[in-house]
Amino acid sequence: MGQSSLPQIKSRGELVIATDPTYPPFEYMEKEKMVGFDVDIGNEIGKDLGLKVRWVGLEWAGVLGSLESGKCDLAMAGVTITEERKKHGYIFSRPYMLSGQEIVRRKGDNRINGPKDLIDKVVSVQQETTGQYAVQKLGVPKDRLLRFDQVQDGLMNVRNGKSDATVGDLPTIKAILQKGYPELEMVGEPFVKESLGIVVWKNNADLDGLINRSLALMMVDGRYAAAYKKWFKEPLTTSIVAELENRKGQGSPVKEIPLENFAKIERAPNMGGSAFTFRWDLVREALPQMLKGALLTIELTLLSLIFGIPSGLIFALMRISKAKPLKAIATVYVEIIRGTPLLMQIYVIYFVLPAVGLELSAMVSGILALSLNAAAYISEIFRAGIESIDSGQMEAARSLGMTYGQAMQNVILPQTVRRVLPPMTNEAVALLKDSSLVSVVALAELMRVGKEIATNGGSPTTVYVTVAAIYLAMTLPLTWLVRRLEDQWQPISRPRDGARTFKKVKA
Amino acid sequence: MKPVLTIRDLHKSFGKNEVLKGINLSVGEGEVIALIGASGSGKSTLLRCVNRLETPTSGSIEYQGQTISDVNINQMRREIGMVFQRFNLFPHLTAADNIALAPRKVLGSETAIARAAAIDLLKQVKLAEKADAFPGELSGGQQQRVAIARALGLKPKVMLFDEPTSALDPELVGEVLEVMRDLAQLGMTMIVATHEMGFAREVAKRVIFLDSGRILEEGSPDQVLGNPKEERTREFLSRVLNR
């Protein structure tokens, strides 16, 4: 998709707005409909420009990145105006909402009464938000800073006792606590004052000028006040309006453009194509961090295989066993794991188990979830492998006086291992890729690192291409290595009719 | 002659299908018995019951006065070797390792001793030079000879042969029968399910004709093969011999 510019937006007749609809009262889903303060304001901007508005719900990590790629024209997601983001090429409108970073603790937890008390505590935040930056600035070290995709994950974590406090945007925290989390409370006034702005990519300064004009109009004609009252459940006071006017300079230095100018713009012919440049500087800057993420990915995969393969074998042996209870346990286990998404299993282990008193760190939860998942799939691979061995092999071994266990160990399993090598490789590769899902419990593996860099780096395309290359660099050698092993282990076989023997088969 | 094996009123059913309908048989030490009969007459099932690869529905089997049961079966199988129609060699092990595996695991023999014994057994079946060949590198006849050597590895007192030459190309049958003949001459107690009437006539002391799960006729090879009393036996023999 091409980069958006006013003539193209005009010919499209549609304003595309990126957001993350897990953020009440700014934007959230209500009965499959996206609603909220931003949604009302954004729709009014569309009306002012004579455009339809299409809302695109993304994960927060993808919201800003969608602007650079031209997939969306502007972002409204309660985005805080920061100099860092401006530096990366984002243009902000004038502030359209006052915000600030608010601390949340468990009710009555008297150890936390202000920002200074956070320094020696475990704090969760939504990743790559100004909340995270504010907490980092306080001096909370990385290992006690748990970063999640969603605000709610942070709140859940405090409730579970996995962290002591969470920090987030005041309006959102307020809205969520009004509806749920009776065991949590806010700590005093926000300790960092912030302003929220509407975001466009740097090539769209004109659009920003129009937005500023539209916002200015809304603030005088009462539309802004109506939306404010509706979503923040309090009247818009003159002091808030004055403060917003005061902070006007916090937005990017773009002049208001009269709306009539937009009406006069000619429709552009469809240009097609895009001027994408691969940002080597960004790669150089981010590579060390990505490689660290890749290392964690490898660690997660290896540990999960180390636990998953033996347990998979045990489940497989239980499943083919004649003892009914063993068989039943293994069958139920495999069906449950195979029948539910891995992401849900990770959530259950990390967020739900604490509710029944089982407290696990993010790393242990991640490895546990991946191992349990891998064990189920691996047990099916082993089972199929064992069952594919001719029954005469077991009979011959038993007729020689071997016990069932001896026959399994010395006759059946050595043959099974050779046979299951290819599907086992598939499983290992799948596991390596699936390990990206544990990023939801705040583990900085490769995918997670990529997301973080893409959120603010300005060129998600560059970041994701690089991440993909690193994943390939990990999986391709694995497949290659196993193919080599397979060649060497090829069971010596003899065609029925010929006299030639094959010791090795060329791949 | 002291019986080594005594089978009493042995029944075996698979679901509703009764395959053995009351077999009584006593096998003396050093005796070679040829078990003949059409496919499906129960020869295989009878041998598999003796080795307890199948659990009898009723009846009993005694080895040297001791009833064979699930409890002592691993012990009993050391005394009773079995050779299968389809060889069932372990494809991931060499010929010598195929033979040495059970002595090592079951009897606890040391690796070097088990290998030396395996080589001796390979000499006995005239395959000493194939000690390090894998089953896939051997002809069918060679594989079956290795399988016989493997069954002999635990020094059994009784050998069961389940149609040992049926899966072989005709030109390879002779070498396997020769090994079995040698074994009989050494005084091994053998029960051989077979379609090889020449072998039965020459080597067996007693021929048993199984028909639909019952022993219909038994006696010396001359009696049963040369002058059968039963009409069904005559029919079967004329079918087999005129093939």
Side-chain angles (χ1 to χ4, degrees):
Chain A
M1 201 183 282
Q3 308 246 319
S4 62
S5 65
L6 291 186
Q8 268 162 2
I9 292 171
K10 181 119 192 192
S11 66
R12 204 196 301 141
E14 191 179 63
L15 196 61
V16 186
I17 306 184
T19 193
D20 163 19
T22 62
Y23 213 62
F26 292 97
E27 46 268 319
Y28 59 100
M29 304 305 292
E30 205 176 78
K31 290 175 192 145
E32 294 178 30
K33 218 182 143 214
M34 207 187 292
V35 295
F37 180 69
D38 281 345
V39 178
D40 283 1
I41 298 291
N43 286 340
E44 289 305 320
I45 293 172
K47 262 185 220 160
D48 280 354
L49 297 177
L51 295 168
K52 274 191 285 183
V53 174
R54 181 155 63 88
W55 290 88
V56 179
L58 299 166
E59 257 187 81
W60 165 239
V63 169
L64 293 183
S66 72
L67 300 179
E68 182 247 2
S69 67
K71 276 202 172 319
C72 299
D73 302 315
L74 52 108
M76 293 185 73
V79 186
T80 306
I81 302 172
T82 69
E83 291 311 308
E84 183 70 17
R85 284 172 180 158
K86 285 184 195 166
K87 227 185 287 168
H88 277 295
Y90 297 108
I91 293 181
F92 282 91
S93 72
R94 56 177 289 174
Y96 74 104
M97 181 68 200
L98 303 177
S99 179
Q101 291 307 320
E102 181 66 29
I103 301 169
V104 179
R105 67 176 188 190
R106 282 184 295 280
K107 250 180 203 160
D109 184 353
N110 288 322
R111 299 173 304 153
I112 299 164
N113 296 304
K116 288 203 179 63
D117 299 329
L118 295 181
I119 294 171
D120 58 348
K121 305 287 189 305
V122 179
V123 185
S124 28
V125 292
Q126 187 182 14
Q127 63 157 318
E128 298 306 310
T129 57
T130 49
Q132 177 191 325
Y133 307 147
V135 176
Q136 276 172 335
K137 226 169 151 189
L138 286 173
V140 176
K142 256 198 165 158
D143 59 320
R144 282 196 275 106
L145 185 66
L146 307 179
R147 295 172 297 166
F148 295 93
D149 282 338
Q150 296 184 9
V151 195
Q152 284 87 339
D153 294 342
L155 291 166
M156 244 191 286
N157 231 265
V158 179
R159 183 170 66 185
N160 287 341
K162 288 194 174 198
S163 53
D164 301 305
T166 185
V167 166
D169 289 357
L170 175 66
T172 299
I173 295 284
K174 218 169 160 181
I176 296 177
L177 290 194
Q178 273 164 7
K179 287 192 180 170
Y181 298 94
E183 14 348 46
L184 304 182
E185 64 185 0
M186 296 193 283
V187 181
E189 291 292 304
F191 66 99
V192 179
K193 286 191 174 152
E194 291 174 342
S195 315
L196 307 185
I198 299 169
V199 199
V200 300
W201 185 237
K202 60 186 174 188
N203 64 342
N204 252 339
D206 289 350
L207 180 59
D208 191 49
L210 291 166
I211 291 168
N212 280 339
R213 180 74 189 157
S214 175
L215 285 174
L217 290 173
M218 262 182 250
M219 283 182 190
V220 286
D221 66 15
R223 285 181 287 164
Y224 181 83
Y228 191 95
K229 188 158 184 251
K230 179 173 166 196
W231 294 107
F232 299 111
K233 317 272 187 231
E234 54 192 31
L236 180 67
T237 61
T238 47
S239 70
I240 294 174
V241 178
E243 184 62 19
L244 282 172
E245 194 63 24
N246 248 345
R247 295 189 189 179
K248 222 169 154 181
Q250 290 182 1
S252 303
V254 175
K255 280 212 183 94
E256 289 181 15
I257 296 174
L259 299 179
E260 303 84 73
N261 289 16
F262 184 66
K264 283 182 213 149
I265 288 173
E266 299 264 325
R267 294 178 175 210
N270 196 352
M271 313 251 285
S274 85
F276 167 69
T277 45
F278 194 78
R279 294 253 315 272
W280 284 107
D281 61 308
L282 188 62
V283 174
R284 265 194 300 277
E285 189 190 318
L287 201 58
Q289 213 184 328
M290 288 185 183
L291 291 180
K292 241 176 106 183
L295 207 64
L296 184 61
T297 293
I298 291 174
E299 209 177 310
L300 284 166
T301 308
L302 281 183
L303 285 170
S304 304
L305 282 174
I306 287 171
F307 294 120
I309 289 176
S311 12
L313 180 56
I314 290 168
F315 280 122
L317 292 175
M318 283 167 71
R319 255 199 128 173
I320 59 173
S321 123
K322 286 200 186 85
K324 287 234 167 72
L326 292 183
K327 197 186 177 91
I329 291 169
T331 307
V332 168
Y333 174 79
V334 168
E335 293 308 332
I336 287 177
I337 296 284
R338 284 203 307 186
T340 55
L342 174 55
L343 190 58
M344 191 220 72
Q345 295 159 12
I346 297 170
Y347 261 83
V348 167
I349 287 173
Y350 191 66
F351 291 114
V352 181
L353 286 190
V356 295
L358 196 60
E359 203 66 48
L360 300 169
S361 75
M363 186 72 182
V364 173
S365 305
I367 292 169
L368 184 64
L370 289 174
S371 306
L372 290 178
N373 189 270
Y377 286 94
I378 288 173
S379 83
E380 282 299 280
I381 293 173
F382 271 126
R383 185 174 68 100
I386 292 170
E387 285 175 349
S388 77
I389 306 290
D390 182 57
S391 62
Q393 292 289 308
M394 178 56 93
E395 288 183 351
R398 296 303 306 271
S399 80
L400 288 165
M402 287 187 225
T403 62
Y404 180 83
Q406 285 173 327
M408 262 295 158
Q409 188 190 337
N410 297 293
V411 175
I412 307 298
L413 290 181
Q415 296 182 54
T416 306
V417 168
R418 288 157 170 77
R419 231 171 257 195
V420 300
L421 205 57
M424 206 63 94
T425 317
N426 282 340
E427 177 57 26
V429 170
L431 188 63
L432 191 140
K433 294 184 294 179
D434 285 348
S435 70
S436 63
L437 288 173
V438 304
S439 67
V440 296
V441 294
L443 284 176
E445 46 64 62
L446 178 55
M447 189 61 211
R448 168 62 172 256
V449 171
K451 266 190 194 171
E452 283 171 15
I453 298 168
T455 309
N456 289 317
S459 179
T461 323
T462 303
V463 174
Y464 289 130
V465 166
T466 312
V467 167
I470 298 176
Y471 270 112
L472 276 177
M474 293 191 284
T475 52
L476 289 183
L478 188 62
T479 23
W480 177 82
L481 180 82
V482 173
R483 200 170 304 144
R484 283 287 302 265
L485 265 180
E486 260 180 82
D487 290 353
Q488 268 168 21
W489 278 5
Q490 192 77 30
I492 294 134
S493 59
R494 175 194 181 93
R496 286 194 70 84
D497 50 350
R500 281 172 58 209
T501 62
F502 294 82
K503 256 196 178 151
K504 286 190 180 181
V505 176
K506 281 264 154 59
Chain B
M1 196 169 54
K2 206 175 74 189
V4 182
L5 268 180
T6 311
I7 300 171
R8 287 199 188 91
D9 197 26
L10 186 70
H11 289 258
K12 173 65 186 175
S13 304
F14 295 101
K16 282 183 184 162
N17 183 19
E18 192 173 31
V19 178
L20 298 180
K21 300 169 182 163
I23 302 286
N24 288 289
L25 178 65
S26 179
V27 185
E29 199 170 336
E31 195 179 12
V32 177
I33 292 180
L35 213 49
I36 63 170
S39 300
S41 60
K43 305 189 296 291
S44 233
T45 307
L46 175 56
L47 291 180
R48 291 166 64 84
C49 281
V50 173
N51 205 268
R52 224 171 171 79
L53 290 175
E54 306 291 355
T55 310
T57 311
S58 68
S60 72
I61 302 170
E62 278 172 24
Y63 171 79
Q64 293 192 331
Q66 224 187 326
T67 304
I68 298 175
S69 69
D70 283 337
V71 180
N72 61 11
I73 185 59
N74 287 333
Q75 192 66 36
M76 290 298 182
R77 280 172 178 155
R78 297 181 194 179
E79 309 285 325
I80 305 170
M82 177 134 183
V83 174
F84 300 87
Q85 181 177 351
R86 299 214 52 91
F87 332 139
N88 296 345
L89 289 180
F90 308 137
H92 61 297
L93 299 177
T94 61
D97 288 342
N98 260 279
I99 300 167
L101 182 65
R104 276 173 47 219
K105 299 296 167 186
V106 178
L107 305 178
S109 305
E110 277 173 47
T111 309
I113 293 172
R115 181 173 167 89
I119 305 276
D120 281 346
L121 284 167
L122 282 170
K123 276 182 195 148
Q124 193 181 332
V125 299
K126 303 180 182 72
L127 281 172
E129 76 284 3
K130 296 290 186 187
D132 294 316
F134 284 92
E137 298 170 304
L138 302 174
S139 74
Q142 291 170 330
Q143 286 191 56
Q144 191 61 297
R145 281 145 69 196
V146 173
I148 293 170
R150 179 177 68 175
L152 292 171
L154 294 173
K155 302 196 170 59
K157 303 290 187 314
V158 179
M159 286 281 280
L160 311 173
F161 292 84
D162 186 3
E163 301 201 26
T165 56
S166 297
L168 295 175
D169 292 337
E171 73 271 22
L172 301 175
V173 169
E175 61 190 67
V176 173
L177 292 180
E178 194 186 320
V179 166
M180 290 168 65
R181 198 175 291 123
D182 291 349
L183 206 54
Q185 268 158 17
L186 289 172
M188 177 64 75
T189 309
M190 295 161 64
I191 308 179
V192 186
T194 187
H195 289 293
E196 296 294 330
M197 294 308 145
F199 177 82
R201 189 186 304 270
E202 183 196 345
V203 181
K205 293 214 179 65
R206 183 148 53 121
V207 175
I208 290 175
F209 176 65
L210 266 187
D211 184 61
S212 310
R214 287 196 179 84
I215 295 177
L216 198 64
E217 188 164 0
E218 64 180 305
S220 70
D222 284 343
Q223 276 176 336
V224 178
L225 301 177
N227 189 18
K229 292 196 289 272
E230 298 287 335
E231 178 59 29
R232 303 270 303 166
T233 316
R234 275 198 291 276
E235 262 173 44
F236 169 76
L237 288 173
S238 71
R239 265 207 318 276
V240 175
L241 295 173
N242 298 331
R243 198 163 42 180

